[in-house]
Amino acid sequence: MRIADNLNAIKTGLPSHVTLVAVSKTKPVSDLMEAYDAGQRIFGENKIQEMAEKYEAMPKDIEWHMIGHVQTNKVKFMAPFVALIHGVDSLKLLEEINKQAKKNNRIIDCLLQVHIAEEETKFGLNEKELAELLTSETLKSLRSIRITGLMGMATFTDNPAQIRKEFLFLKSLFDHFRPLDAENCRLNILSMGMSGDYQTAIECGSTMVRIGSSIFGGR
Ligand SMILES: *Cc1c(COP(=O)(O)O)cnc(C)c1O
């Protein structure tokens, strides 16, 4: 019961306002079921195909979160069931999610991913692009999506001051844009923190942590 033990140890340490997404990418359904049987109902995956297969195979009271980069042409495969898409970083992608949500008679919740790390390779909007997207006229017309928060990933470094600085920057953007209050845009969720840095993220204001290896083991 190693997975259940890991899960329980992490859950015990989380403040009640912080939601745990169990990141199960690359892990077999039997591992996810061990977490499920220990009470976990929110799982995060980074590949749409893999998430859809696990969705088919597992109980239907699970919330599936897409935490990876999303290709526009694959949105349709998760639109019937996905609960939250963390990595949205363009209006074009939002328009496609809106279209597929409408086809499925759903409203799909999305987080906007902000680039806060030093590495060039990570996806996400910069501060200016975030402001433009949140205030765009096109966004107002998208009635089948809802922007419910922001997501970010800190630089992969063992310098805690750097990580803290990046999380605090994302928190400041979150606070800045929180007064926006449209039917389809209301920021309540701040998704930041992974196995190595989630405690720092919570100290900096995270309300949702995405934890994989500390629950399921290395990949
Ligand atoms: C893999 C992944 C995680 C979890 O990483 P761990 O270090 O295994 O906890 C969190 N967020 C995203 C976006 C990921 O791709």
Side-chain angles (χ1 to χ4, degrees):
M1 297 304 281
R2 182 182 53 85
I3 292 171
D5 291 343
N6 293 342
L7 187 64
N8 287 327
I10 289 168
K11 277 193 338 202
T12 307
L14 290 183
S16 59
H17 69 276
V18 176
T19 302
L20 172 63
V21 179
V23 175
S24 47
K25 60 191 185 196
T26 77
K27 298 296 177 181
V29 165
S30 55
D31 284 8
L32 279 69
M33 278 309 298
E34 191 175 331
Y36 180 89
D37 289 335
Q40 184 63 24
R41 291 294 180 274
I42 305 177
F43 291 87
E45 290 283 334
N46 71 340
K47 293 207 169 71
I48 293 174
Q49 172 85 24
E50 183 178 341
M51 183 170 77
E53 285 168 12
K54 288 171 174 172
Y55 164 75
E56 289 299 333
M58 292 186 64
K60 294 299 171 280
D61 61 342
I62 291 172
E63 258 188 43
W64 292 98
H65 289 203
M66 174 43 58
I67 62 168
H69 181 67
V70 176
Q71 284 171 273
T72 315
N73 61 347
K74 293 197 176 148
V75 172
K76 57 178 175 287
F77 300 117
M78 65 176 167
F81 68 91
V82 68
L84 182 64
I85 303 175
H86 289 236
V88 177
D89 63 0
S90 76
L91 197 51
K92 178 167 156 274
L93 178 56
L94 266 181
E95 289 178 299
E96 176 63 14
I97 296 168
N98 186 71
K99 181 175 143 195
Q100 298 298 335
K102 201 168 174 182
K103 271 193 192 167
N104 285 277
N105 249 315
R106 301 186 65 217
I107 290 176
I108 296 182
D109 288 350
C110 299
L111 306 180
L112 295 179
Q113 182 170 355
V114 183
H115 181 104
I116 56 172
E118 273 184 341
E119 294 118 348
E120 278 302 320
T121 52
K122 287 185 182 161
F123 298 101
L125 301 155
N126 64 32
E127 187 174 359
K128 182 162 166 282
E129 292 164 335
L130 175 67
E132 280 169 3
L133 205 165
L134 284 171
T135 55
S136 80
E137 283 303 314
T138 311
L139 177 62
K140 294 195 183 111
S141 68
L142 305 179
R143 298 305 177 86
S144 302
I145 56 102
R146 222 162 24 201
I147 294 174
T148 55
L150 303 180
M151 180 270 215
M153 289 167 85
T155 302
F156 187 72
T157 168
D158 46 23
N159 176 359
Q162 172 81 20
I163 294 171
R164 185 174 298 272
K165 188 182 84 185
E166 292 169 1
F167 284 150
L168 286 174
F169 173 60
L170 185 55
K171 172 67 159 78
S172 74
L173 293 177
F174 182 68
D175 290 340
H176 179 75
F177 289 109
R178 270 200 105 171
L180 285 177
D181 187 42
E183 200 55 55
N184 67 351
C185 181
R186 205 162 279 149
L187 306 184
N188 289 310
I189 299 171
L190 184 53
S191 168
M192 57 185 196
M194 321 190 351
S195 290
D197 57 20
Y198 76 91
Q199 267 131 347
T200 305
I202 291 170
E203 287 165 19
C204 296
S206 171
T207 70
M208 186 173 274
V209 292
R210 310 175 309 269
I211 301 181
S213 45
S214 293
I215 298 173
F216 296 104
R219 288 177 297 268

